[in-house]
Amino acid sequence: MAFKEDRAAEFYPWQERAYDAIKDRNGILSAPTGSGKTWVAYRWAGLMDREGRAAMPVGRVIFTAPIKALSNERYLDLKGMGFDVGLETGDFKKNSDAPVLCCTQEIYTLKYCGRPNQRVVVDEFHFIFGDSERARAYIDGIRGTHRDSRLLVMSATFGNPGAVKDYLEEMAQRDFVLFETSERVTELVFRRKGVKFSQIHDALVFAFSRKGVEYTAREIARTRKRIPREDRARLREMAYILEVDQVPDVLLKGVGVYYGSLLPKEKLLVEMAFRERVLDVVVGTDALSLGVNLPAETVVFAQMAKYFDGPLTKNEFLQMAGRAGRRGFFETGYVTFIPKSRCEHPDYDTERLYMKLLHAPKEPARIEVRPSVGMLLRKERTYEEEARVVASCSLPKREYESVLGEIQETMYLINRTVNFVKDPKARRRLKRALGDLWFDEMSVTANIASAHLFVKHGVPHALDLAEVLRREERNYLQALLKVKRYANRLPDGYSIEGLDQVDREINAIDSTVFGFEEKIGQLKVSEEAWDVED
């Protein structure tokens, strides 16, 4: 059963109420995962009329997302609706002057937030509650949004929506209308009995490490026969189109794996095969909960505690559980767990944590922003001024003295490292370059090493920079992509040579990075041909 996106024109009553509440206003839309927030956003942005037909917007519309994969999906969805749409994610740009733009939050904050007369949809806002590394980009973008533009902030449900509304009104200096609902398009049933590996079908299964994902996938696959010959042939054809050299054995038994260090083409193979139902199970990390379009009947927890962060919060649990069910295919979604899971954190029991979270309240949203080290190095702000910004932009607000102490300690460590350069003139050049070039996506060590390359070579080679970055990245491709993002935000007076070689290296490793649209088009053509043959 291949999955086809439901394009029914009718809106649910809650979607009508939500639209009526937020139309022509700045809005906060808080609704469960899988409830249908996107269609409300399309109407709010002027991209869809009351009958559900695509409509040309008045003014520019921007959709932001926390990860590149979601921006890619939104781009393809809007393009499929017939819109002139662009995409920009830091390491990739296409048709970025289009009237509808999909981009990551960092790109919006860096390039577009100050422009007037835009309608801006900030999707998956709850992402920042657990990611202080990225929170600053969200908050700076919201604070910097032009007064003549409108904002729609969308999030899964959380524990203190009123406080978040007050917080956003203070950050954006404008009024917001809050619409909150617990309604879902499909029913969600939390089962109190766990499942065996052999009982897992039509499911997303969560574990929180590569080792845990691979172990769970193998155990599920061990209980199965190989998928039918025609499905194996289709899987290999998809792998050939995407240039995936080897299809893992577990995929040949209908079980996909999904974690951070996979190449984009490997993730895309799993996503597309699951949508076509060549695979019916995907075992992955919590990256699966970020809205990637993988329709499943059941969500299974193979793990309820992360190795470094401890047990899942109620909000994280609901975000992952909400992936169960899909209108038109699985009208009821089910949530369950694997008892005595061997990939669970050794200090916890999966069943006990699962049962505990069923009755736990939602936690209040918390937002922790980090200081802008680049602004401090460039002396655009004093330590005291930046401490006040960080303290006031956190939710709940933090104590000024505590933040100031953290900033002083961070800057002391940076200055101490820079002071290892004995020559005063070279030290000044390094410090100036470090301030000009500081990139929040990189560690202190990587920032200093990168600034050293500019001081030493003037115009460093992109592949030398990639060698610096690969020490801290999951794989070489991620290092190359970070070089692209770094190069695209260099200030005047700085440049990198060899970026064409970076593009060639990226394409050699994974041609879907820049050519994902063409590859997906080839997959759809081959799927249609496959359907005709059947």
Side-chain angles (χ1 to χ4, degrees), residues 116-275:
N117 304 316
Q118 300 181 132
R119 288 199 171 220
V120 183
V121 179
V122 179
D123 201 0
E124 304 279 352
F125 182 69
H126 52 271
F127 176 82
I128 76 166
F129 298 158
D131 192 340
S132 58
E133 299 289 341
R134 304 276 303 280
R136 185 66 180 257
Y138 274 80
I139 301 312
D140 284 352
I142 288 169
R143 293 175 76 209
T145 295
H146 196 281
R147 293 291 304 169
D148 293 334
S149 293
R150 289 198 175 127
L151 282 162
L152 175 60
V153 177
M154 299 204 300
S155 177
T157 51
F158 43 87
N160 54 342
V164 173
K165 175 179 179 292
D166 293 342
Y167 169 82
L168 287 173
E169 287 181 335
E170 181 180 352
M171 293 299 104
Q173 292 295 293
R174 68 197 75 199
D175 293 332
F176 281 85
V177 174
L178 168 66
F179 186 91
E180 184 185 23
T181 183
S182 59
E183 293 186 45
R184 279 176 50 96
V185 174
T186 56
E187 184 183 0
L188 192 61
V189 175
F190 291 88
R191 288 181 161 156
R192 295 175 176 272
K193 185 178 180 181
V195 292
K196 300 176 181 177
F197 292 117
S198 61
Q199 296 172 315
I200 297 174
H201 300 280
D202 284 316
L204 301 181
V205 184
F206 286 102
F208 305 119
S209 68
R210 173 176 177 171
K211 185 177 179 180
V213 166
E214 291 179 337
Y215 162 77
T216 305
R218 284 196 306 270
E219 291 303 305
I220 296 171
R222 205 188 299 267
T223 69
R224 297 173 159 219
K225 296 179 179 179
R226 283 184 143 198
I227 58 179
R229 180 182 300 172
E230 59 271 21
D231 285 343
R232 297 200 303 271
R234 174 61 180 153
L235 188 60
R236 290 190 175 102
E237 180 182 30
M238 297 172 78
Y240 175 77
I241 290 171
L242 294 172
E243 301 175 34
V244 174
D245 296 330
Q246 186 173 4
V247 177
D249 289 341
V250 292
L251 269 68
L252 297 174
K253 291 190 174 183
V255 183
V257 294
Y258 201 98
Y259 46 79
S261 59
L262 288 176
L263 295 175
K265 62 185 179 184
E266 295 168 330
K267 293 179 183 177
L268 189 56
L269 173 62
V270 170
E271 292 168 19
M272 299 302 288
F274 188 74
R275 290 172 201 170

Side-chain angles (χ1 to χ4, degrees), residues 12 33-35 183-189 322 324-333:
Y12 286 91
T33 301
S35 59
E183 293 186 45
R184 279 176 50 96
V185 174
T186 56
E187 184 183 0
L188 192 61
V189 175
R326 177 56 63 94
R327 180 174 69 171
F329 286 84
F330 309 114
E331 299 302 330
T332 300

